[in-house]
């Protein structure tokens, strides 16, 4: 990673800290207060020892100083506790903001872009990498200010007492940050490599976990276990590289801090035996002066050492921020959305003219296309794999950008409020997605207005009640992630019931029976035929023998609309005829 990129990422991280400026200032303020108390604590401790050893003062006469010392120690402990709390709040607030930025960007890019990476990689970006920024905001940023303020306070206190000790502090202080920077030069690169390895492993592991049954079916489990072992070995090497740099940084800082404190101790030692006679403004060095400065000496370097310790947090945050900033600044065409209301949402009419569907990177996926879907018309969309059917659906749903015209009830889709437009859509896909929760939760899917009677009604209409009633807990039966515990047919019927509860005027059916057995297919088709009566419907279908009941068929090939008309009119020629002939041959061979 070049230095300019590191500076840019550091600047971006610091700009995010403005959101929690109050917590940051409180943390710094308590650190500064702790530094002031530290000077008082050192003065009291040195004075007590001077009185007891040199002045031979009775210890009972120093009770008030002992009480003051205990009070200062307690106040410093309270300041440390407050710093931790305020620092955590600072990091928490900024992490929530950054995570929301990522989620907003994911929402704006849409599912078509999200599918380009494994789910594990997105999870690593949103969870682990954002969490790795906590110490940067909670510890490193406040420590940057404290590492300046506290040593300045100590210097201002020490110089009037002994300029030689103050000069030693002043000369040796830059050694700590200088060597901290030298050791930390490669830390950001090491962390970046570590996060990249973590993303790859997360994505790889999550995808293989999802397909575990398939891997076992084809006897590939052992081979994939070896691949996971190799990926985890890379992550282990990257993690150990980061830890090695962190330990090296701490060791170097401790070494130079110890040398600096030793120089101060040697100076006072030789001064006490009369070998050195400078630095004390002509006033003999007393035990109070020596103890006072020696108590402050390690505390002078402690903020700098802490900054060095937390410098690893900076490198870690920079490594995490690279992927986050890269994602937030990714150049991708987003589906523009307006704020106009959808007119007459109870009926949907679609007009497409010279439409070109674009990928997030700006490439043309399908088009130009021109066709109309009239209100309450049922239209089928067919074509070979790669013809552009899914791309067209994603554009209609507002998930992909486009050029040309795509009007819903006379309003351009770019000008519509997409959330309102999607409320008018009832969707049933070929792979029903059920989330972890009860069957009732999966049918309502956050619809708080749905009553139990309404849920039961749509379940009966979708023929889902026949298996729900046999379950021990009925509608409260728990479903695992990705339809765990239910067959594909049962999950699809729940998805149909969910679409019925949505009550949209525009039904989008993406091969809803592609993965079903004959009995489930019959029930799903029967429920769907009843649900879409009188509704505008667009159905992607691989069952060409069922198209005769559809009002109109759109045939796509290589992103172009090659046929448009009723099944009986276009089934004797062109691409649809070829597809029908191939279907018939497969049926005969079967």
């Amino acid at each position: 990673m070049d230095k300019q990129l590191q500076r840019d990422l550091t600047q971006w991280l610091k700009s995010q800290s403005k959101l929690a400026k109050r917590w940051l200032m409180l943390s710094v303020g308590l650190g500064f207060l702790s530094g002031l108390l530290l000077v008082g604590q050192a003065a009291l401790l040195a004075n007590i020892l001077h009185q007891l050893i040199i002045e031979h003062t009775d210890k009972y006469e120093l009770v008030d100083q002992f009480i003051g010392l205990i009070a200062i120690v307690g106040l410093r402990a309270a300041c440390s506790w407050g710093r931790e709390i305020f620092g955590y709040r600072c990091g928490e607030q900024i992490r929530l903001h950054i995570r929301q930025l990522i989620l907003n960007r994911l929402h704006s890019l849409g599912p078509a872009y999200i599918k380009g990476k494994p789910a594990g990689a997105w999870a690593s970006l949103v969870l682990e990498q954002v969490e790795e920024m906590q110490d940067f905001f909670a510890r490193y940023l406040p420590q940057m200010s404290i590492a300046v303020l506290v040593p300045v306070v100590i210097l201002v206190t020490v110089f009037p007492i002994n300029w030689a000790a103050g000069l030693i502090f002043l000369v040796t202080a830059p050694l700590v940050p200088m060597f901290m920077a030298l050791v930390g030069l490669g830390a950001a690169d090491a962390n970046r490599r570590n996060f990249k390895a973590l993303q790859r492993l997360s994505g790889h592991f999550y995808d293989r976990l999802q397909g575990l049954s398939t891997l076992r079916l084809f006897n590939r489990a052992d081979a994939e276990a070896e691949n996971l072992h190799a990926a985890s070995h890379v992550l282990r090497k990257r993690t150990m590289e980061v830890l090695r740099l962190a330990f090296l940084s701490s060791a170097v800082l401790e070494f130079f801090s110890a040398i600096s404190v030793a120089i101060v101790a040697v100076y006072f030692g030789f001064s006490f035996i009369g070998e050195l006679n400078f630095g004390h403004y002509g006033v003999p060095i007393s035990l109070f002066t020596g103890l006072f400065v020696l108590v402050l000496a390690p505390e002078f370097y402690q903020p700098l050492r802490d900054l060095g310790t937390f410098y690893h947090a900076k490198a870690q945050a920079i490594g995490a921020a690279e992927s986050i900033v890269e994602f937030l600044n990714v150049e991708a065409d987003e589906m523009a959305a307006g704020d106009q209301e959808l007119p007459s949402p109870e009926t949907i009419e679609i007009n497409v003219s010279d439409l070109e569907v674009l990928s997030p990177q700006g490439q043309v996926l399908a088009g130009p296309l021109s066709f109309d879907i009239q209100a309450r018309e049922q239209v089928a969309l067919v074509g070979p794999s790669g013809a552009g059917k899914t791309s067209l659906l994603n554009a209609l749903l507002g998930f992909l950008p486009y050029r040309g015209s795509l009007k819903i009830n006379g309003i351009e889709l770019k000008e519509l409020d997409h959330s309102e437009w999607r409320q008018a859509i009832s969707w049933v896909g070929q792979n029903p997605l059920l989330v972890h929760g009860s069957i009732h939760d999966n049918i309502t899917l956050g619809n708080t207005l749905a009553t139990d009677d309404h849920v039961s009604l749509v379940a009966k209409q979708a023929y889902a009640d026949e298996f729900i009633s046999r379950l021990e807990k009925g509608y409260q039966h728990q479903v695992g992630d990705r339809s765990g515990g239910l067959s594909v047919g049962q999950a699809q019927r729940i998805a149909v019931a969910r679409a019925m509860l949505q009550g949209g005027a525009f039904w989008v059916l993406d091969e809803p029976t592609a993965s079903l057995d004959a009995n489930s297919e019959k029930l799903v088709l029967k429920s769907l035929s009843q649900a879409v009566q009188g509704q505008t419907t667009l159905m992607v279908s691989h069952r060409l023998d069922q198209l005769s009941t559809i009002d109109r068929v759109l045939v796509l090939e290589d992103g172009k609309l090659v046929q448009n008309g009723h099944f009986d009119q276009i089934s004797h020629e062109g691409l649809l005829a070829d597809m029908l002939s191939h279907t018939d041959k497969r049926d005969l061979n079967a």
Side-chain angles (χ1 to χ4, degrees):
M1 185 187 299
D2 61 81
K3 293 182 179 179
Q4 183 59 45
L5 179 57
Q6 286 198 35
R7 284 194 291 267
D8 292 341
L9 292 174
T10 303
Q11 190 61 38
W12 181 83
L13 287 167
K14 290 181 178 178
S15 68
Q16 304 304 311
S17 66
K18 296 177 182 178
L19 300 167
K21 190 175 182 179
R22 180 184 62 171
W23 297 115
L24 187 61
M25 294 302 294
L26 286 171
S27 180
V28 172
L30 286 178
F32 180 66
L33 177 60
S34 180
L36 294 177
L37 292 171
L38 170 65
V39 174
Q41 177 182 326
L44 275 175
L45 183 60
N47 186 62
I48 289 171
L49 292 174
H50 180 81
Q51 292 290 331
L52 292 174
I53 298 173
I54 303 300
E55 302 294 337
H56 302 288
T57 305
D58 187 74
K59 58 181 178 293
Y60 294 105
E61 297 180 13
L62 303 175
V63 171
D64 55 341
Q65 296 190 37
F66 279 111
I67 294 174
L69 183 63
I70 294 172
I72 289 177
V73 170
L75 287 173
R76 289 194 65 205
C79 287
S80 298
W81 176 79
R83 278 187 59 195
E84 289 293 323
I85 296 297
F86 294 143
Y88 176 81
R89 295 301 181 196
C90 173
E92 180 185 42
Q93 187 170 339
I94 298 172
R95 282 187 293 111
L96 289 174
H97 171 72
I98 294 175
R99 186 169 286 125
Q100 192 60 52
L101 287 178
I102 297 173
L103 294 176
N104 289 342
R105 184 65 171 154
L106 285 171
H107 183 266
S108 63
L109 291 173
Y113 182 88
I114 294 172
K115 289 177 67 177
K117 283 186 178 182
W122 293 120
S124 175
L125 184 72
V126 176
L127 299 176
E128 286 97 339
Q129 291 188 230
V130 175
E131 289 296 322
E132 292 296 340
M133 297 180 177
Q134 171 67 23
D135 280 349
F136 175 81
F137 297 111
R139 299 176 184 273
Y140 179 78
L141 279 185
Q143 193 62 36
M144 283 185 65
S145 299
I146 295 170
V148 175
L149 294 174
V150 173
V152 167
V153 169
I154 294 177
L155 281 176
V156 170
T157 304
V158 170
F159 259 109
I161 298 175
N162 189 288
W163 62 263
L167 190 62
I168 293 172
F169 288 163
L170 193 60
V171 171
T172 57
L175 291 175
V176 176
M178 182 179 70
F179 283 96
M180 174 181 70
L182 290 175
V183 173
L185 282 177
D189 277 336
N191 277 280
R192 178 178 57 83
R193 291 191 293 269
N194 186 51
F195 285 124
K196 294 291 185 185
L198 179 61
Q199 278 191 343
R200 286 193 295 269
L201 180 60
S202 297
H204 193 83
F205 177 73
Y206 187 76
D207 287 347
R208 298 311 181 270
L209 193 62
Q210 287 180 320
L212 187 58
S213 57
T214 305
L215 292 173
R216 286 177 174 173
L217 181 65
F218 290 96
N219 198 28
R220 295 292 300 169
D222 292 339
E224 288 302 323
E226 289 295 324
N227 292 336
L228 279 174
H229 177 74
S232 63
H233 179 68
V234 172
L235 178 62
R236 181 184 64 82
K237 288 180 62 179
R238 298 285 184 264
T239 303
M240 294 307 297
E241 182 181 355
V242 172
L243 291 176
R244 184 170 64 249
L245 284 172
F247 288 131
L248 176 62
S249 175
S250 298
V252 169
L253 298 182
E254 290 292 337
F255 174 73
F256 283 101
S257 297
I259 287 180
S260 302
V261 173
I263 292 174
V264 176
V266 168
Y267 162 74
F268 278 107
F270 278 96
S271 296
F272 282 131
I273 63 175
E275 295 296 329
L276 296 177
N277 189 26
F278 62 87
H280 45 72
Y281 302 106
V283 179
I285 297 177
S286 66
L287 181 61
F288 169 82
T289 303
L291 287 175
F292 180 59
V293 176
L294 282 174
V295 169
L296 288 178
E299 300 297 337
F300 175 82
Y301 299 102
Q302 188 60 47
L304 297 171
R305 291 159 58 192
D306 290 342
L307 183 63
T309 302
F310 300 147
Y311 189 81
H312 173 68
K314 176 190 174 183
Q316 192 169 273
I318 290 176
E322 184 186 23
S323 297
I324 294 174
V325 174
E326 181 182 343
F327 168 67
L328 293 176
N329 296 332
V330 67
E331 294 185 2
D333 292 332
E334 300 176 22
M335 180 61 198
D339 56 3
Q340 290 195 35
E341 295 183 0
L342 178 66
S344 304
E346 64 276 0
T347 57
I348 298 298
E349 181 178 336
I350 300 175
N351 307 106
V352 176
S353 177
D354 297 325
L355 176 71
E356 286 186 332
V357 183
L358 307 176
S359 71
Q361 291 74 32
Q363 299 174 337
V364 178
L365 301 177
L369 303 170
S370 297
F371 61 89
D372 296 327
I373 300 178
Q374 304 300 323
R376 298 183 175 84
E377 185 180 20
Q378 297 185 11
V379 177
L381 185 64
V382 300
S385 297
K389 302 186 296 294
T390 301
S391 299
L392 177 57
L393 288 185
N394 279 326
L396 284 170
L397 296 170
F399 295 148
L400 282 178
Y402 68 85
R403 289 196 294 257
S405 178
L406 174 53
K407 293 184 177 180
I408 312 297
N409 289 356
I411 305 296
E412 195 67 40
L413 180 56
K414 294 178 181 178
E415 300 173 2
L416 280 176
D417 182 347
H418 283 186
S419 60
E420 185 177 348
W421 161 232
R422 289 166 188 153
Q423 286 295 321
I425 300 173
S426 287
W427 160 275
V428 182
Q430 56 182 305
N431 296 310
L433 178 62
L434 302 188
V435 298
H436 182 76
S438 66
I439 290 178
H440 183 278
D441 294 337
N442 274 279
I443 294 177
T444 58
L445 207 61
N447 187 347
T448 57
L449 300 178
T451 63
D452 291 342
D453 292 338
H454 198 181
V455 172
S456 299
L457 177 61
V458 295
K460 290 178 181 178
Q461 293 173 342
Y463 299 98
D465 65 318
E466 70 169 22
F467 73 86
I468 294 176
S469 60
R470 296 197 300 267
L471 298 174
E472 182 179 353
K473 295 184 179 180
Y475 287 90
Q476 298 306 315
H477 177 80
Q478 293 296 308
V479 180
D481 288 329
R482 297 188 175 272
S483 311
L486 297 177
S487 68
V488 178
Q490 291 172 337
Q492 190 66 297
R493 278 180 270 176
I494 291 177
V496 172
R498 177 196 297 164
M500 289 179 173
L501 189 66
Q502 173 75 14
F506 180 46
W507 280 71
V508 179
L509 310 176
D510 184 10
E511 301 193 15
T513 62
S515 304
L516 304 183
D517 57 71
N519 180 58
S520 296
E521 180 181 21
K522 178 181 177 182
L523 293 175
V524 169
L525 286 175
K526 187 175 180 180
S527 60
L528 285 175
S529 64
Q530 295 173 357
V532 301
Q533 288 297 323
Q535 306 292 352
T536 307
T537 305
L538 179 62
M539 179 175 69
V540 177
S541 178
H542 68 290
R543 295 295 303 269
L544 303 181
D545 56 328
Q546 298 174 353
L547 300 182
S548 58
T549 59
I550 300 295
D551 296 333
R552 194 151 48 91
V553 179
L554 304 176
V555 184
L556 293 183
E557 183 180 22
D558 296 329
K560 304 292 191 299
L561 183 63
V562 295
Q563 289 180 284
N564 182 358
H566 191 273
F567 178 79
D568 294 335
Q569 297 173 338
I570 64 175
S571 60
H572 303 295
E573 58 183 5
L575 179 60
L576 183 58
D578 292 341
M579 294 172 65
L580 284 168
S581 64
H582 289 137
T583 301
D584 293 341
K585 288 178 181 178
R586 284 198 299 270
D587 292 342
L588 288 173
N589 291 335

